[in-house]
């Protein structure tokens, strides 16, 4: 008898672990080779990631598309809880499940719709990354042709990731640490605020990803652009309404209506 | 050849697997993954007369083998449902069951009347909602209020199958019997179970609303027990749900007495879950030489 | 230096961690793994007037993040308890709480009287038992019967702390309030939740008794919610339990309103679990600069 | 501050996987090196085995002490469900948890108490193993000095394990298969019954392990001796009363009062 599921098309795929590289104590890059060719992914999109089919942990976890390298899709992950801890034990050849790419991603900033999306060549892209929010904006940097000014913040200097690479990919990099142990003392959004003082905000387009507090601060900078939400998700595909982001038009779904929202659309309180 | 058809009152399903309300939206997102016509029925996200905003985030948190949600019944409201969501779902060859929410009996009756007139195949009453007139205690926990509500909606509903979704924090056998006596064509259970989780570091509840509903595999043994008790208390069909993630789980509910099953939380881990569960039921029937799926219902050997 | 002491009525505990009834026998087996004096209290396996055989096997089955048991309250009976088990437990410097079971109010009263006279520090009423006079519905689900039972036992118990263990299949806030009004020194919750699992291959229930009690991490979110609700309904201390496996879980119950906690199913995976949980509470207090464990109780920020 | 648990002694131990050898599609031998020296183990004792500390599967699983080899404690396991399936993925160097040895074990059949236990040299030990019950009686064979007559049954010939080795360790081996594809057609207990026909049952001592139906049949052979129960267990240490075995004196605990019971003591219905 023919299986019903074989009739259908989806972007759920088993993927082989190609590499699992430790950057420092709590940050890793996982390289995955999906069994099925996946469309895209575009910067700002994400995958729902499942370590195995055991029922605890139950839900998949969202991780941004970080980059492609050596024929693998890579994600940059930070160890904060149960799944990310289990991920550190993954070894090349093991199999995981990914669903994606999901979400809208950043607007098509270099193609034909660039002007309309506020990404005209005349504007300087300001990219703000708080912590592992870096994973979301990283693929933007390459796409932005080395013109971006990146503000990247961590709690402390030792936590800063991939700094040399970021400098190569960006026009300018401002590092920020909350304890002042490296770069600007404060958050990445505060560093951007200082930078913007006296400048014409119309000359810039903003791209920001990080914790909600940071997105709020970035939204308040007065620069047009985009923020990417990292609201908790259960399904990642728009059916559970778990990932509510407050907007003027009511709650929207980070996973399906986002994760990228125009600045001003998503409200933070 | 396996016969997967089941009947829920006037409702004829091509197989016993449906989506659980609130876990499959209005069908559109799932249709990106598979053809909804392959399912027994599509149960829609709960609908109220006016659109509801729902609760502020965080709305979900994971718990051992389960999750708590406090979506707060966010929905587009009846008008938008009738104008956009229902017509869209009509493109698939699958019965549509609307799930309705009110804060007064009157609201339920008006919703049921409109939807019945609009031609949905089933109407599922979510009685876990707070009854504003009764100081917020849910319709599903006060027997007299509950029976009156079901009776009133029964009078309104002419063509659709009337399904009453029982609350798991009340004695299910008694409420199932009351639903049947008040004219329900079927009962469904379980809804999510009131639950709470706290982040010990921030000391804050992990869902903003403090208390939310527990669902997923963790609740399955409670749900199977309730389906067993409810199905022995009534003659109308029982739709079982709560933690079904594999075909085997669905069979377990049917053995306990369910005529059909609904898949909820499992969809979140895998949008294809309902189809995989259907495949699993089919495989079970083939392995055990069972020709008609309805033969499984209630056949647990106690 | 952390102060771990808590008071449950007349009962002074050196720390808030106890064993849950029925999961640590009468203490002897655990003592092969650690010194029971390190615990806040030892809660004994439920005791009835006469020895009970318990249910036939299979008595246990695993479920997602939990287990179902249908031990059927097997126990050595009061006489043997007083003659052998209690004196043996007396060798440790730890308060002993007896857990009692009856099928009539009279049985409860006689058990309480004998045990109070024999000098146990606490008596916990397990009201989930079927009430034979009331057609088998448990004492914990009929409010009037429940209040009368607690009142009657209260009159009997002079020296021990009287703890009433609430049933999770009844509205806990209301029953907690009734227990307090009837004279309970504390309430404890939750008992295991009625549940069922079926082997799809044999079609037989996975515990012979068909329905058993669900415990373990799966029930934790339900238990935390109930502890939260009960603790806000009463002034007497609340003892929280249900799925505690780590120090963090215990803290979660205390944040929700528990004064002390009990560890049950976790002992089955690791006999050292109660001590590890105590260590975890201590570590949490040190990390968060909390001096007195009682400061945690009820401090969830809602 | 001193940790309370460091004061205590127990036989809970983390153990390193030394080897995980596949015998056939569903049977494996797992070699474990406990971090702490464990007392014993004696034949018939068992360990509670935990694959990891994740909460699903929740409970430990009981496995018999099979043998010691290469400085490792080995268990022989058959894949029947969730934990045993996960066990097949264990690789050398990974860590698991074991609690044990637990239970009474078979009586001291060669030492000073041998006569009293009915193990006198004058008697011939009959050992009956049903399926993976073999793991329980295996260490007896070596201890019994090669004098045992082993009856070992499986559903089908292809499932029979370690036959050459069993022949080396036993005085005589009778294989039995339910489908008759190898040896006696029927169960191991039935084969023993045929063997005993016309023999004086007082000349033998019985040791049997296998499913309950087989233990019942073995108990009915009329030979004195011992059966080892494999009743489902939650705790393995005597506190849950989950592993009830019916005896004339009420329910006893397989884990603590057993798993070995004198024939006639445990009742099977
Ligand atoms: C669209 C999107 C994209 C994302 N992209 C990335 C990315 O590229 N890289 C990345 O690293 N992250 C990313 N994240 C975040 C990532 O999804 C989370 O870090 C991940 O889900 C954490 O899973 P976990 O199981 O490890 O943590 P969990 O165990 O689920 O815990 C989450 C948090 O809660 C805490 N916690 C857990 N249990 C308890 C408890 N009982 N009491 C108190 N506290 C507790 C943990 O310490 C942790 O801080 C993204 C999120 C979204 C929504
Ligand atoms: C004292 C003792 C010693 C033992 N020694 C050994 C030994 O040395 N070697 C050995 O191999 N075994 C031994 N056993 C048996 C062993 O403990 C079990 O095989 C093991 O616990 C199975 O664990 P599991 O997680 O793989 O199976 P589980 O997943 O727990 O399943 C057990 C059984 O139930 C079935 N099942 C599981 N879930 C479902 C469901 N939802 N519906 C229907 N059926 C289901 C499985 O197919 C399987 O048959 C011993 C048992 C005892 C008590
Ligand atoms: C996110 C979410 C939203 C839900 N919304 C509704 C709803 O609108 N109406 C309703 O009757 N039940 C709702 N439910 C309950 C489910 O329909 C189902 O009864 C419950 O989740 C148990 O099944 P499961 O364990 O398979 O998820 C919701 C459940 C979840 C998890
Ligand atoms: C095997 C077993 C036996 C139990 N026996 C009793 C009992 O005799 N009396 C009682 O009040 N509760 C009994 N309980 C309930 C526990 O004390 C506890 O309330 C419940 O298991 C929830 O806690 P846990 O999840 O930590 O196990 C028993 C639980 C288990 C698992
Ligand atoms: S995570 Fe489910 S709707 Fe967004
Ligand atoms: S397994 Fe718990 S008493 Fe034997």
């Amino acid at each position: 008898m023919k299986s019903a599921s074989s009739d259908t098309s989806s972007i759920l795929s088993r993927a082989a672990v190609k590499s699992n590289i430790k950057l420092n104590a709590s940050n890793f890059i996982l390289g995955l080779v999906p069994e099925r060719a996946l469309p895209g992914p575009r910067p700002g999109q994400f995958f729902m990631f499942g370590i195995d089919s055991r029922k605890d942990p139950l839900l998949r976890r969202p991780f941004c598309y970080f980059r492609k390298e050596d024929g693998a899709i890579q994600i940059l992950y930070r160890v904060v809880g149960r799944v990310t801890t289990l991920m550190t034990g993954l070894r090349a050849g093991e199999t995981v499940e990914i669903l994606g790419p999901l979400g809208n991603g950043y607007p098509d900033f270099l193609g034909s719709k660039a002007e309309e999306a506020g990404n005209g060549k005349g504007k300087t892209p300001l990219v703000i990354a708080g912590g592992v929010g870096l994973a979301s904006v990283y693929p933007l940097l390459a796409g932005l042709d080395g013109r971006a000014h990146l503000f990247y913040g961590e709690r402390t200097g030792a936590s800063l990731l991939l700094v040399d690479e970021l400098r190569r990919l960006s026009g300018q990099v401002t590092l920020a640490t909350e304890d002042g142990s490296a770069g600007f003392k404060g958050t990445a959004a505060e560093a951007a605020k200082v930078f913007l003082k006296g400048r014409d905000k119309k000359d810039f387009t903003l791209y920001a990803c990080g914790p909600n507090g940071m997105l709020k601060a970035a939204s308040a900078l007065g620069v047009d652009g985009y923020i990417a939400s990292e609201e908790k998700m259960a399904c990642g595909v728009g059916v559970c309404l778990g990932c509510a982001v407050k907007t003027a038009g009511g709650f929207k779904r980070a996973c399906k209506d986002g994760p990228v929202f125009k600045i001003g659309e998503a409200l933070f309180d | 050849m396996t016969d997967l058809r089941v009947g829920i009152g006037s409702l004829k399903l091509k197989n016993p697997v449906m989506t659980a309300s609130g876990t499959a939206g209005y069908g559109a997102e799932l249709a990106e993954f598979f053809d909804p016509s392959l399912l027994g029925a599509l149960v829609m996200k709960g609908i109220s007369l006016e659109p509801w905003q729902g609760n502020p985030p965080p709305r979900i948190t994971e718990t051992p083998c389960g999750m708590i949600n406090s979506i707060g019944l966010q929905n587009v409201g009846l008008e938008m449902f009738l104008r956009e969501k229902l017509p869209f779902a009509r493109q698939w060859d699958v019965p549509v069951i609307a799930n309705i929410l009110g804060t007064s009996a009157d609201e339920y009756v008006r919703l049921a009347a409109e939807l019945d007139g609009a031609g949905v195949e089933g109407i599922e009453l979510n009685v876990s909602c707070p009854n504003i007139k009764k100081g917020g205690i849910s319709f599903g926990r006060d027997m007299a209020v509950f029976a009156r509500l079901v009776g009133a909606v029964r009078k309104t509903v002419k063509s659709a199958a009337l399904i009453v979704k029982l609350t798991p924090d009340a004695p299910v056998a008694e409420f199932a019997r009351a639903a049947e006596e008040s004219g329900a064509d079927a009962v469904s259970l379980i809804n999510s179970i009131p639950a709470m989780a706290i982040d010990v570091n921030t000391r804050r509840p992990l869902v903003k609303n403090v208390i939310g509903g527990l669902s997923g595999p963790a609740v399955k043994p409670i749900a199977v027990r309730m389906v067993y008790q409810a199905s022995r208390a009534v003659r109308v069909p029982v739709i079982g749900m709560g933690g079904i993630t594999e075909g085997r789980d669905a069979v377990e509910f049917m053995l306990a007495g369910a005529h059909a099953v609904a898949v909820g939380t499992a969809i979140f881990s895998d949008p294809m879950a309902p189809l995989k569960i259907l495949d699993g039921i089919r495989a079970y029937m083939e392995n055990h030489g069972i020709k008609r799926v309805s033969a499984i219902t209630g056949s647990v050997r106690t």
Side-chain angles (χ1 to χ4, degrees), chain A, chain B:
Chain A
M1 158 130 230
K2 199 150 164 294
S3 152
S5 34
S6 60
D7 293 338
T8 62
S9 90
S10 83
I11 39 178
L12 178 71
S13 174
R14 288 161 61 85
V17 173
K18 177 147 188 191
S19 57
N20 194 4
I21 301 154
K22 187 172 187 162
L23 298 178
N24 62 25
S26 53
N27 293 276
F28 294 71
I29 295 176
L30 184 68
L32 298 171
V33 182
E35 284 179 4
R36 304 166 54 177
L38 305 181
R42 289 181 290 113
Q45 288 193 302
F46 66 96
F47 297 92
M48 294 301 281
F49 174 92
I51 186 105
D52 57 32
S53 57
R54 284 165 75 177
K55 287 169 192 156
D56 191 61
L58 181 68
L59 300 170
R60 304 281 164 96
R61 302 293 198 267
F63 293 95
C64 290
Y65 164 61
F66 176 58
R67 66 181 176 200
K68 277 189 186 157
E69 215 168 82
D70 301 335
I73 290 180
Q74 293 188 335
I75 63 184
L76 167 66
Y77 68 96
R78 177 159 298 181
V79 180
V80 299
R82 297 201 308 139
V83 171
T84 47
T85 300
L86 290 170
M87 284 166 78
T88 64
L90 286 171
R91 284 177 287 193
E94 293 191 270
T95 310
V96 296
E97 288 209 338
I98 58 174
L99 176 66
L102 300 166
N104 55 1
Y106 295 101
D108 187 7
F109 45 86
L110 287 178
S112 56
K113 302 205 193 91
E115 284 297 338
E116 168 190 337
N119 287 289
K121 292 254 173 197
K123 303 224 182 191
T124 302
L126 296 187
V127 176
I128 310 187
V132 78
L134 180 67
S136 167
V137 297
Y138 179 96
L140 273 177
L141 298 176
L144 288 168
D145 248 1
R147 295 182 302 118
H149 184 165
L150 171 69
F151 297 85
Y152 166 39
E154 291 281 4
R155 197 143 303 182
T156 186
S159 305
L160 289 162
L161 301 174
L162 305 168
V163 173
D164 292 344
E165 222 174 299
L166 295 172
R167 290 200 202 280
R168 263 201 313 278
L169 290 168
S170 316
Q172 194 175 341
V173 173
T174 302
L175 300 174
T177 55
E178 286 175 40
D179 65 1
S181 55
F184 177 86
K185 181 171 165 46
T187 68
E190 283 161 9
K193 189 171 183 174
V194 170
F195 167 82
L196 283 166
K197 201 165 275 169
R199 291 190 158 86
D200 186 349
K201 292 173 182 170
K202 295 219 183 61
D203 293 341
F204 302 96
T205 306
L206 199 69
Y207 304 89
C209 186
N212 277 346
M214 189 277 239
L215 297 182
K216 183 179 182 177
S219 300
L221 288 174
V223 180
D224 274 352
Y226 305 88
I227 58 100
S229 164
E230 300 210 328
E231 194 57 53
K232 269 182 159 185
M233 294 181 177
C235 73
V237 300
V239 295
C240 77
L241 309 185
C243 58
V245 170
K246 197 173 171 182
T247 73
F251 287 114
K252 293 207 170 174
R253 298 164 300 180
C255 67
K256 193 78 182 175
D257 307 315
V260 177
F261 294 93
K262 277 201 110 156
I263 283 178
E265 188 185 2
L267 308 174
F268 300 92
D269 37 26
Chain B
M1 191 55 201
T2 50
D3 180 354
L4 288 160
R5 290 170 302 167
V6 295
I8 304 290
S10 58
L11 198 55
K12 302 296 168 217
L13 310 182
K14 57 175 100 67
N15 66 61
V17 178
M18 23 181 116
T19 53
S21 179
T23 65
Y26 306 105
E29 294 84 1
L30 278 197
E32 295 174 21
F33 294 94
F34 64 87
D35 176 2
S37 315
L38 295 169
L39 294 182
L42 268 189
V43 183
M44 304 269 129
K45 171 78 191 152
I47 285 293
S48 48
L49 280 177
E50 300 299 324
W52 283 3
Q53 276 263 348
N55 291 324
R59 289 177 168 189
I60 45 170
T61 193
E62 187 170 289
T63 64
C65 287
M67 64 175 282
I68 299 177
N69 87 80
S70 71
I71 308 303
L73 302 173
Q74 174 180 347
N75 77 86
V76 297
L78 180 64
E79 191 196 313
M80 168 81 115
F81 178 76
L82 292 175
R83 185 155 41 87
E84 284 189 10
K85 304 302 182 185
L86 183 57
F88 193 83
R90 279 284 161 246
Q91 73 183 280
W92 307 300
D93 174 29
V94 65
V96 170
I97 298 176
N99 174 284
I100 63 173
L101 325 157
T103 55
S104 69
D106 188 49
E107 282 183 28
Y108 277 103
V109 169
R110 284 168 58 199
L111 280 159
E114 293 261 15
L115 287 160
D116 195 44
V120 297
E121 281 83 358
I123 295 178
E124 184 179 55
L125 255 63
N126 179 352
V127 296
S128 303
C129 311
N131 179 350
I132 286 182
K133 296 219 175 100
K134 278 281 186 170
I137 181 182
S138 80
F139 289 87
R141 283 191 47 212
D142 180 319
M143 181 60 86
V145 170
F146 173 82
R148 265 202 307 279
L149 173 68
V150 177
V153 174
R154 170 72 288 174
K155 272 194 230 113
T156 316
V157 175
K158 311 282 187 235
S159 67
L162 176 59
I163 302 162
V164 176
K165 186 161 178 180
L166 304 176
T167 299
D169 56 343
V172 284
E174 294 154 44
F175 279 80
R177 219 175 288 119
E180 177 176 55
E181 282 162 10
S182 305
D185 295 316
V187 295
S188 61
L189 67 165
I190 64 173
N191 214 316
S192 55
I193 304 177
M196 177 175 177
I198 303 170
D199 183 325
V200 297
N201 293 317
T202 63
R203 295 190 177 199
R204 292 198 186 280
L206 280 156
V207 297
K208 181 86 168 187
N209 193 48
V210 183
I211 291 176
L214 182 67
S215 64
V219 309
K220 192 184 68 166
I222 301 173
V224 170
R225 184 261 299 178
M226 288 184 167
V227 163
Y228 176 74
Q229 292 176 324
S231 69
R232 290 161 68 95
V234 297
R235 250 172 301 203
V236 295
V238 171
I239 302 166
M241 73 198 87
I244 297 176
T245 52
E246 300 167 20
R248 189 156 76 173
D249 300 326
V251 173
E252 194 179 352
F253 274 87
M254 298 191 74
L255 288 168
H259 294 70
V261 296
V263 179
T265 302
I267 293 176
F268 304 163
S269 302
D270 179 358
M272 306 283 288
L275 280 199
K276 291 182 181 166
I277 288 162
L278 178 56
D279 283 348
I281 295 174
R282 204 183 274 122
Y284 175 83
M285 290 171 67
E286 284 164 5
N287 290 340
H288 288 74
I290 299 168
K291 299 236 163 344
R292 292 172 45 243
V293 76
S294 57
I296 302 174
T297 297
S299 70
V300 60
R301 296 161 63 193
T302 53

